[in-house]
Amino acid sequence: MINVAVNGYGTIGKRVADAVVQQPDMKLVGVSKTRPNHEAKTAGGKKYPLYVVKESKKSFAEAGIEFEGTVEEMWDSADVVVDATPSGVGVRNYELYKGMRTPVIVQGGEAKDSVESSFNARANFENSIGKNLVRVVSCNSTGLARLLTPIEETYGIDQVRVTLIRRGADPGQPGKGPINDVILDPVYLPSHHGPDVKSVLPNINIDTLALKVPTTLMHVHVVNIALEKDTSKEDMCRLLSGESRIHMVAEEEGIKGIAGLKELALDLERPRGDLWENCVWEESVSVKSKEVYLFQAIHQEADVVPENIDAIRAIVNECGQEESMNLTDKTMGMGLRR
C-alpha cells in the first residue's frame, strides 16, 4: 500500500483525498487544514485523519474539531505527499518535505521550472518515475495534453492554436470575478497555457490566448489543429472516442453548453457534479484540408484529480502508464455513459 498524505483539503485536495481512498493500492494517512472551517468538519465526518499546523491547534480545539496531530507528523508517515495548497505554497513547502525525504506532487499553479518534472498521465507518465518533486499541470494544460497526445501520435501536428474562455472563479470563490466584464487574460500573446502544455509535450508547436468571463462552471477551449496527415471528421471522432478521459458530446444528448454538462454529471450522481473527462462536442469537430476545429469543455475543479492519482503511482514506480490509468479510471468510474 502507498501511504498518501494530502496537504491542503480545499478544492483539489478534498477531491484527491476521495480518489485516494478508492484505490486498492493506496491508503490515506491524513489530510491537513490551517483553519477550522466547514471543510475541516467534513473531513472529520468522512473519518479522514485530520492534521493541523502548530499555530492552529488552539483554534481547532476551541471549535471542537478533533485532530490527530501536526502536519509534520502526517508528512512523516507518508510515502508520497500531494500538496494541494494555494499557488506558490507547494514549492516553498518542499524544503520541509525534503528534510523528511518524502516525494511530493504539487499542482499546476507552481512554476514549471521549480520542479523535477511536469506530469500528464496520457502524455508523459514515464518522465516522473522515481522523481521527488513532480508537478501535475494545470486543468487547462491537462485537458489540452489529453486531446493533443493521441492526435499527435496518429496524425502528427504542425501547429495548434487555442483560445481559452476561462471561468472567472470557482463556485466557492465569491471574492473573485469578473462580475460584468470580459477580461483579456492576459492582454499580450501568448498566454501561459501554451508553454505549460509544452512542459509535458515539448515538441508541440502551440499558441494560446485567453479570456476570463463571468461564470463559475467550466472552461471552454476553441481549438484549431493543423495536421501532418489527412483525416476525416469520422476518423477524428473515432480516435477521440477511444480515449477514456475524453467524452464526446453527441448531438442527440441535446447539450449545447457547459450548464448542460454539469446537469448531466449531477443526474449521473457524480460526486460534487464533477467532470473528470474532457468534454468535446462531436458536432463541433470539423476537418478541412488537414485542419481540425473543435470545442471542448474542461471542469477546472476536477480534471486534474485522476492525474494526481496516476502521478502517485509514477513517483513510487508502482506500475506503468496503462495499468495505472486503467485502474484509476475503473475505481473513479470514468466515462459519462448512461
Side-chain angles (χ1 to χ4, degrees):
M1 298 291 282
I2 308 168
N3 293 314
V4 181
V6 177
N7 191 32
Y9 191 74
T11 299
I12 300 300
K14 62 190 178 186
R15 289 170 163 86
V16 171
D18 289 350
V20 166
V21 299
Q22 293 176 293
Q23 307 309 308
D25 56 346
M26 298 182 190
K27 177 183 177 182
L28 182 68
V29 298
V31 300
S32 73
K33 290 294 293 182
T34 58
R35 294 179 293 115
N37 61 8
H38 69 96
E39 289 168 330
K41 293 181 179 179
T42 301
K46 292 187 174 185
K47 307 300 182 184
Y48 294 169
L50 179 64
Y51 292 82
V52 303
V53 296
K54 292 177 182 177
E55 298 79 7
S56 298
K57 292 172 70 173
K58 182 179 179 181
S59 62
F60 275 83
E62 291 174 346
I65 298 176
E66 296 183 1
F67 56 90
E68 301 290 328
T70 65
V71 288
E72 290 83 2
E73 293 170 319
M74 179 182 74
W75 299 339
D76 199 35
S77 63
D79 300 315
V80 177
V81 174
V82 177
D83 190 297
T85 55
S87 298
V89 177
V91 168
R92 292 204 304 270
N93 285 340
Y94 184 57
E95 293 304 313
L96 300 173
Y97 302 136
K98 277 200 302 188
M100 299 175 184
R101 299 181 180 179
T102 307
V104 180
I105 296 164
V106 296
Q107 305 307 309
E110 306 297 338
K112 63 181 184 299
D113 296 331
S114 63
V115 298
E116 293 179 66
S117 68
S118 292
F119 181 89
N120 174 266
R122 184 63 177 86
N124 70 339
F125 184 99
E126 292 79 9
N127 285 10
S128 295
I129 291 175
K131 297 291 174 56
N132 288 310
L133 181 57
V134 171
R135 167 181 168 267
V136 172
V137 294
S138 73
C139 52
N140 283 306
S141 299
T142 292
L144 288 169
R146 287 177 183 169
L147 177 75
L148 297 176
T149 298
I151 295 176
E152 165 66 13
E153 291 172 350
T154 306
Y155 300 108
I157 291 176
D158 282 331
Q159 174 72 49
V160 182
R161 298 178 180 88
V162 185
T163 300
L164 299 98
I165 303 166
R166 303 182 58 217
R167 60 90 181 99
D170 288 340
Q173 296 175 317
K176 294 185 68 174
I179 295 174
N180 184 29
D181 202 354
V182 175
I183 296 176
L184 310 179
D185 187 35
V187 175
Y188 57 84
L189 305 179
S191 69
H192 72 274
H193 306 91
D196 199 34
V197 171
K198 289 179 72 68
S199 71
V200 293
L201 289 170
N203 297 322
I204 292 290
N205 187 14
I206 181 170
D207 292 320
T208 57
L209 53 90
L211 308 169
K212 189 182 292 186
V213 300
T215 180
T216 64
L217 295 177
M218 299 174 72
H219 302 302
V220 174
H221 297 170
V222 186
V223 183
N224 166 240
I225 308 169
L227 305 176
E228 294 178 355
K229 299 176 184 177
D230 286 321
T231 187
S232 65
K233 174 185 174 79
E234 294 72 24
D235 286 344
M236 180 58 64
C237 289
R238 189 177 301 114
L239 173 68
L240 298 180
S241 295
E243 294 291 316
S244 65
R245 297 183 186 179
I246 295 179
H247 171 64
M248 300 300 289
V249 184
E251 181 177 359
E252 57 267 25
E253 292 184 64
I255 297 174
K256 304 300 183 183
I258 54 178
L261 291 172
K262 287 290 290 181
E263 188 73 8
L264 172 61
L266 290 167
D267 286 345
L268 294 175
E269 299 183 349
R270 280 287 186 88
R272 303 184 180 88
D274 282 349
L275 291 153
W276 305 301
E277 306 86 348
N278 297 27
C279 295
V280 176
W281 277 272
E282 189 172 324
E283 289 177 88
S284 76
V285 178
S286 176
V287 180
K288 297 180 180 179
S289 185
K290 292 186 180 179
E291 289 206 39
V292 178
Y293 301 84
L294 59 82
F295 290 125
Q296 70 171 0
I298 303 297
H299 186 194
Q300 74 282 355
E301 299 172 289
D303 79 326
V304 300
V305 175
E307 308 300 319
N308 274 271
I309 297 302
D310 293 323
I312 292 168
R313 295 194 182 98
I315 277 185
V316 301
N317 199 13
E318 172 76 3
C319 59
Q321 176 200 46
E322 184 176 0
E323 183 180 352
S324 180
M325 290 184 68
N326 287 343
L327 183 55
T328 301
D329 293 349
K330 179 180 178 181
T331 53
M332 291 187 65
M334 203 72 64
L336 284 166
R337 299 292 186 266
R338 291 184 182 275

